[in-house]
Amino acid sequence: NIYGSGAITLQPTTASQTIGIGDASTGDYNLSSAEIGYLQNGFTSITIGRNDGTGAVDVQAVTFNDPVTIQSPSGAGSITVNGQITGSGNASISLNGSNATTLSASIVTAGNAITISDNVVVGASISLDTTNSGGTATGANIHITGTVDDSVALQDTLTLRAGTAGDISLDGVVGTTALANLTITSAHNVTASAGITAGQIVKGRVVHIGDSTVSVDIGFKSEGSVPATEYLHDEWRGQRKTPISDSGRWRGRCCWYRLFGCTVFVFDEA
């Protein structure tokens, strides 16, 4: 076992060497799940990869107990998540690539941030979840600095769950190659700095909640109406079964609205 109370870096001898993390991963510099398990809880940070790394990184299913950064940030450096990355304890997850990070499996933490400093390609229907499937309701921030695209147009769903305290920040354009769905299960604030591709998803403001419909202003010449039943979700509504209305406990303060159909809603308690 390896013990420590500071930062630890695990890296190949040359920048171009590939890295494999987790059982069945492929890489010149390979770390099995058992070897990762030798790192005992207590490090301030774990870094896997070089600051000048250019090799591909293959990540299979793996669990970390301390904050981790997986990096290949130069040249053709890329990261592919082929198995779920789990952040246990105080483990935040940071991926720092250069030539696109492909997400073919989910990333889950227990109330700690997920940061991807790269363009993202969604290779399967996956989630970025900082609430540990709701076990840590407050969650934490989810931040993607680059663009977000599907590997094949309209094939995969990306679900983001940041809890009641976590912010979601999408710095690059989302949907040049359109996702089948972008679902935000929970968040404190949502920011899409570079916007969403026209005809895909746009931000709207709920302006009226009636017994059967919800009026959404999406910034065009007129408002759109959405059936109130689209908003009924036990997690958001605290297990309430009655329809949403102006006098109800929950009101939609904002939502993400797909033209001709709702895909994502974010609620604040009234």
Side-chain angles (χ1 to χ4, degrees):
N1 291 331
I2 303 172
Y3 297 87
S5 57
I8 185 171
T9 299
L10 307 173
Q11 64 181 31
T13 55
T14 63
S16 62
Q17 285 183 293
T18 59
I19 298 174
I21 303 171
D23 293 342
S25 62
T26 301
D28 301 320
Y29 181 81
N30 195 274
L31 296 166
S32 69
S33 296
E35 289 170 327
I36 293 295
Y38 293 149
L39 299 173
Q40 298 301 293
N41 191 9
F43 290 95
T44 56
S45 67
I46 300 167
T47 300
I48 301 176
R50 298 171 58 101
N51 290 332
D52 60 350
T54 61
V57 181
D58 172 23
V59 186
Q60 298 291 336
V62 65
T63 298
F64 295 95
N65 295 309
D66 293 310
V68 64
T69 297
I70 299 170
Q71 62 181 11
S72 186
S74 300
S78 64
I79 299 171
T80 302
V81 179
N82 287 312
Q84 180 170 304
I85 303 176
T86 301
S88 184
N90 72 331
S92 57
I93 308 294
S94 297
L95 306 181
N96 185 5
S98 175
N99 195 39
T101 292
T102 300
L103 299 179
S104 296
S106 298
I107 303 175
V108 179
T109 72
N112 298 288
I114 296 172
T115 303
I116 302 176
S117 299
D118 197 2
N119 296 328
V120 167
V121 176
V122 179
S125 291
I126 62 97
S127 63
L128 302 180
D129 179 2
T130 59
T131 74
N132 192 24
S133 299
T136 306
T138 52
N141 293 346
I142 298 172
H143 186 190
I144 299 175
T145 66
T147 59
V148 178
D149 291 293
D150 206 338
S151 57
V152 177
L154 302 174
Q155 173 177 275
D156 301 306
T157 293
L158 174 61
T159 300
L160 305 177
R161 186 173 185 175
T164 58
D167 294 338
I168 295 173
S169 300
L170 306 173
D171 293 353
V173 174
V174 177
T176 299
T177 302
L179 295 160
N181 290 289
L182 171 63
T183 302
I184 298 175
T185 303
S186 60
H188 176 244
N189 288 305
V190 179
T191 302
S193 301
I196 311 292
T197 300
Q200 298 303 316
I201 303 173
V202 296
K203 190 174 182 179
R205 182 174 62 90
V206 174
V207 294
H208 176 73
I209 303 172
D211 290 336
S212 60
T213 61
V214 177
S215 296
V216 182
D217 181 1
I218 57 174
F220 294 94
K221 291 184 178 180
S222 61
E223 298 168 358
S225 294
V226 182
T229 54
E230 295 283 352
Y231 291 80
L232 299 179
H233 190 300
D234 285 345
E235 179 180 352
W236 294 330
R237 293 174 47 71
Q239 307 300 320
R240 289 173 61 87
K241 303 297 184 182
T242 56
I244 294 173
S245 68
D246 285 335
S247 60
R249 179 185 173 192
W250 290 82
R251 282 186 171 183
R253 298 287 293 280
C254 62
C255 75
W256 290 86
Y257 180 79
R258 184 189 290 273
L259 296 178
F260 311 116
C262 287
T263 58
V264 179
F265 301 95
V266 180
F267 289 97
D268 292 330
E269 189 171 359

